[in-house]
Amino acid sequence: MQPALSSPRLLVVGILLSLALIVAQRLLPERRLDLSDAHAGNFHYLLDNNEPETAGSVGWVDESKLHLQCHYTRPANWQACGMGFSLVKEDATRGIDLSPFSSIELKMRFKGPTRLIRVGIRNFDPRFSKADDTNSPRPHYVNLRVQDLGEPLRIDLNEFTVPEWWIMQKNHPREYNRARLDNAIQISIDIPDELTNKTYEMEIDHLVLHGEWVSREQTYLGILVAWLLGASLLSMHRSVQLRQRSRIQQREIDALMTRTRELRVAQDELRRLAAVDELTGVLNRRGIEQVMAELENDDEGITIVIADIDHFKQVNDRHGHGKGDEVLSRFAALLATNVRASDVVGRWGGEEFVILCRGHKLDEASALAEKLRDRVARFDFDARLSLNITASFGVAVALPGHTAEEAFKRADKALYRAKSGGRNRVESASGSEPVSTFL
């Protein structure tokens, strides 16, 4: 009979308890803080410059509905139009730690001649913030396009960044300029635009912080610690028995450890050969080659589209490789969400991507490439930076009796023509004229 600690029943119980904890974590009610709830006693206020000589006004249309209007008739050194939500109680230096929250849900209505709405969070840092200086708490901002306000927005807290003007104005040490929301004292919504001789209205339906009472990471860490503790107890129990066993059993254990290391090495090799590009989430070169080989033998044939980001080196040189990686990830996502369900997207290498289309209809694949070219040219890759990203495309079809490799080479030559012809264009292997937008 097996010892109690090594009983398969305990293993089954442990697995069931682990699964139950995972399910329970997902069923827990969400952590919420509704700042727009008028009955919760939250303090809100108007954002204006309090200077009568500007002949301007920021006032409530209906305070109970958080509905305000702004209109300035003369310019001033500083103007404001918006509202703030206080996160402090009695002590102006003690706010709320937002680390348990992951996002802000915002639903609002807006009227006015501006393109952006700004959401800000002020964090009081006792190392340099002062209670009598409203500009000393570190600001964090994210800008939202007005056209995106039609539906409720979920804004991840990790989207908020410290603005450059504050860094330059305060000239604090570098460690003081990092985004940090552990003592947030204010959340604001305002217009980062010229306000003179313009009328703006905004109405906040709801502004809610969302988070988890127990995060998945904490749940998984607790389960892992419990399993490690159980494994440690089992190991201690087994070690007492192993001292009493023969050298043969010890050699078996040594052989088992060797086999475990071999399996770990083999597992690492399998990960290396995985077919998915780690940065972008689309297929990597190996995955594309596998799909290309499969489609080459398909009766429907295969058409190949090669896309290359124009002047990508300038993005890395001007904004850093981190921003370049973001552009690659968003470019891959843009391709993947705008192709047909039967198409396959992959990253061939660097800033070059490949789209494999079933069938041998060159005009349809060229139209798809034109659609993607247009989407890329109009896509806002970063709201805070002026990133004018375009891409060039080459298209070729694998004709009957020809290999996909040959078609790939012809598509690559077509891409070269698109680059040589001025970039931000589509060229097919047949040298046809530009096609109409894909519908």
Side-chain angles (χ1 to χ4, degrees):
M1 184 175 179
Q2 291 183 332
L5 283 175
S6 61
S7 171
R9 294 182 180 178
L10 287 180
L11 178 61
V12 172
V13 170
I15 293 174
L16 292 177
L17 286 175
S18 299
L19 292 175
L21 287 173
I22 293 173
V23 173
Q25 187 275 333
R26 297 186 179 186
L27 294 178
L28 282 175
E30 186 181 46
R31 181 193 293 264
R32 297 175 81 254
L33 177 58
D34 190 347
L35 299 177
S36 55
D37 185 359
H39 303 290
N42 298 315
F43 179 65
H44 56 269
Y45 49 91
L46 296 171
L47 297 177
D48 57 24
N49 62 354
N50 294 318
E51 298 179 4
E53 64 273 12
T54 62
S57 67
V58 179
W60 295 111
V61 177
D62 187 339
E63 185 175 2
S64 65
K65 296 182 179 180
L66 299 178
H67 183 186
L68 63 81
Q69 183 182 78
C70 307
H71 183 74
Y72 287 87
T73 59
R74 290 199 300 269
N77 292 331
W78 181 80
Q79 295 177 335
C81 174
M83 68 183 74
F85 298 85
S86 176
L87 302 180
V88 301
K89 298 300 182 182
E90 298 179 357
D91 187 350
T93 66
R94 298 290 297 275
I96 295 178
D97 182 5
L98 298 186
S99 57
F101 297 93
S102 59
S103 64
I104 297 177
E105 182 180 7
L106 171 64
K107 183 179 180 182
M108 65 178 292
R109 286 181 282 263
F110 179 81
K111 294 180 181 178
T114 187
R115 297 171 59 189
L116 297 176
I117 291 294
R118 180 171 61 186
V119 180
I121 301 177
R122 286 277 185 170
N123 196 82
F124 192 95
D125 192 323
R127 296 177 297 179
F128 54 82
S129 299
K130 299 178 181 179
D132 58 352
D133 183 357
T134 58
N135 195 39
S136 62
R138 180 175 48 251
H140 307 75
Y141 291 128
V142 62
N143 289 318
L144 307 175
R145 300 189 310 167
V146 170
Q147 57 263 44
D148 294 334
L149 299 177
E151 299 293 335
L153 294 178
R154 278 282 185 128
I155 309 168
D156 292 340
L157 291 184
N158 58 18
E159 295 182 49
F160 285 85
T161 57
V162 180
E164 292 184 2
W165 64 261
W166 191 87
I167 296 174
M168 296 178 64
Q169 181 185 96
K170 296 301 180 180
N171 196 28
H172 287 313
R174 180 170 173 265
E175 61 269 20
Y176 292 177
N177 299 324
R178 296 172 181 168
R180 184 173 169 183
L181 301 175
D182 59 344
N183 189 24
I185 62 172
Q186 177 202 67
I187 294 180
S188 63
I189 302 172
D190 69 334
I191 301 170
D193 203 350
E194 170 62 36
L195 305 177
T196 306
N197 293 325
K198 299 175 184 178
T199 300
Y200 300 92
E201 284 191 40
M202 67 173 66
E203 181 177 350
I204 309 299
D205 289 334
H206 64 259
L207 180 67
V208 183
L209 287 162
H210 292 272
E212 297 175 325
W213 289 104
V214 180
S215 68
R216 293 186 183 182
E217 291 78 7
Q218 292 173 327
T219 302
Y220 296 154
L221 180 60
I223 293 173
L224 177 61
V225 170
W227 277 100
L228 290 175
L229 180 60
S232 299
L233 293 174
L234 179 59
S235 178
M236 293 173 60
H237 180 76
R238 288 281 182 88
S239 66
V240 175
Q241 294 181 327
L242 288 175
R243 292 191 186 99
Q244 302 172 359
R245 293 182 180 177
S246 65
R247 294 180 179 179
I248 296 176
Q249 291 174 316
Q250 186 61 48
R251 286 196 296 269
E252 291 176 348
I253 293 174
D254 292 339
L256 179 61
M257 294 178 65
T258 300
R259 179 57 179 162
T260 300
R261 286 193 293 269
E262 293 173 351
L263 290 174
R264 190 172 298 159
V265 172
Q267 187 180 37
D268 292 340
E269 180 66 13
L270 288 175
R271 290 196 185 100
R272 188 183 69 82
L273 297 176
V276 175
D277 181 60
E278 183 177 356
L279 174 64
T280 62
V282 298
L283 292 181
N284 58 18
R285 181 167 183 162
R286 178 182 176 85
I288 282 291
E289 289 174 341
Q290 292 174 351
V291 175
M292 194 183 301
E294 295 172 2
L295 295 180
E296 186 179 43
N297 300 320
D298 196 297
D299 293 336
E300 295 182 45
I302 177 176
T303 305
I304 298 174
V305 179
I306 304 178
D308 188 272
I309 301 176
D310 298 328
H311 303 298
F312 180 73
K313 183 176 181 300
Q314 295 180 6
V315 177
N316 285 330
D317 292 343
R318 294 177 181 176
H319 306 290
H321 289 277
K323 181 57 63 178
D325 289 346
E326 291 181 19
V327 169
L328 289 174
S329 297
R330 292 173 181 175
F331 184 84
L334 189 62
L335 294 182
T337 54
N338 284 280
V339 297
R340 296 163 293 194
S342 59
D343 299 333
V344 178
V345 178
R347 183 185 179 195
W348 190 252
E351 65 270 26
E352 192 170 88
F353 292 75
V354 175
I355 303 158
L356 303 179
C357 306
R358 292 182 182 273
H360 48 267
K361 295 182 179 180
L362 184 62
D363 56 342
E364 290 187 1
S366 298
L368 173 61
E370 176 61 19
K371 167 195 170 183
L372 295 174
R373 184 205 63 76
D374 180 68
R375 293 287 195 277
V376 171
R378 292 190 292 108
F379 185 75
D380 188 3
F381 281 81
D382 192 313
R384 296 178 295 108
L385 301 174
S386 296
L387 293 180
N388 297 321
I389 302 298
T390 62
S392 301
F393 295 77
V395 186
V397 62
L399 300 174
H402 296 269
T403 65
E405 183 178 0
E406 293 174 336
F408 188 94
K409 292 179 180 179
R410 290 189 289 111
D412 194 47
K413 291 181 179 179
L415 174 63
Y416 179 79
R417 291 199 302 273
K419 290 284 187 180
S420 302
R423 294 181 170 84
N424 190 24
R425 57 188 293 136
V426 176
E427 289 285 347
S428 65
S430 63
S432 61
E433 294 296 326
V435 296
S436 60
T437 302
F438 178 80
L439 298 176

